Amino acid sequence: MKLILKMLSVFALAIMLTNCGEKKETDAYGNPVEEKKEATTEAADPLLAKGQELFEGKGTCATCHKADVKVVGPAIKDIAKIYKEKGASIASFINDEGEPLVDPSQYEIMKANFVITKAMSAEDRKALEMYMMSIE
Ligand code: HEC
């Protein structure tokens, strides 16, 4: 009887340890899981890939916005962070339906791009939003 209890507790402990392992960002071999996740999301979500394409291409956004450093415009990750915190929509902002939340003093420079983004389809604006919000 005692032996069975002992075996059960060892088993329970093993399950707990496995669960903890899952929460961490590494797999059983110690490789980071995060990178893999990003790759699958990108492949699985055509809108996200489209957003990146527009951001770097037709939208010309990449000229002023880099992932994690401020150039002419704020870093994408800083914009995404603020939009997440405030539950705001980038798609609406670039359709001239919102207030600048990140750097209102430079708003005029950004506003000039609304000519491009307002001429886009709503889906393209959503794709741009998805791409920017995916950067952290
Ligand atoms: C000529 C440079 C320039 C280009 C090109 C540019 N931006 Fe910006 N952007 C800025 C500047 C400067 C700011 C900071 C002012 C502001 O926060 O409104 C900004 C801010 C933003 C913000 C945050 C707005 C807020 O709430 O304050 C978003 C979102 C954004 N840009 C998206 C885009 C997208 C999408 C594109 C491409 C379609 C783009 N930007 C192209 C310069 C640029």
Side-chain angles (χ1 to χ4, degrees), residues 55 59-61 63-65 72-74 79 83 90 93-94 99-104 106-107 109-110 113 117 128 132:
F55 195 89
T60 72
C61 322
T63 327
C64 296
H65 295 287
V72 180
I79 296 176
Y83 270 75
I90 290 178
F93 173 77
I94 58 177
E99 298 292 313
L101 306 171
V102 181
D103 189 356
Q106 302 293 304
Y107 181 43
I109 302 172
M110 180 53 214
N113 298 291
T117 49
L128 280 171
M132 291 185 81

Side-chain angles (χ1 to χ4, degrees), residues 22-76:
E22 269 170 28
K23 276 188 207 128
K24 281 188 204 142
E25 309 281 59
T26 49
D27 63 17
Y29 307 101
N31 297 319
V33 173
E34 216 179 355
E35 267 178 339
K36 273 191 214 152
K37 247 196 259 163
E38 269 171 36
T40 25
T41 346
E42 239 169 293
D45 207 323
L47 210 55
L48 191 62
K50 190 180 186 187
Q52 181 168 13
E53 200 183 300
L54 287 168
F55 195 89
E56 290 164 1
K58 200 167 105 186
T60 72
C61 322
T63 327
C64 296
H65 295 287
K66 306 289 173 217
D68 49 17
V69 284
K70 185 183 152 95
V71 194
V72 180
I76 306 171

Side-chain angles (χ1 to χ4, degrees), residues 68-136:
D68 49 17
V69 284
K70 185 183 152 95
V71 194
V72 180
I76 306 171
K77 76 167 199 301
D78 294 336
I79 296 176
K81 187 166 175 265
I82 290 171
Y83 270 75
K84 273 174 206 158
E85 277 168 10
K86 308 215 165 166
S89 159
I90 290 178
S92 301
F93 173 77
I94 58 177
N95 198 31
D96 202 4
E97 291 167 356
E99 298 292 313
L101 306 171
V102 181
D103 189 356
S105 71
Q106 302 293 304
Y107 181 43
E108 290 305 316
I109 302 172
M110 180 53 214
K111 225 178 154 179
N113 298 291
F114 291 168
V115 183
I116 302 173
T117 49
K118 282 174 79 174
M120 287 178 177
S121 68
E123 190 186 272
D124 284 359
R125 284 189 293 269
K126 192 75 200 162
L128 280 171
E129 169 176 306
M130 271 192 79
Y131 170 64
M132 291 185 81
M133 295 300 264
S134 76
I135 299 202
E136 44 195 339

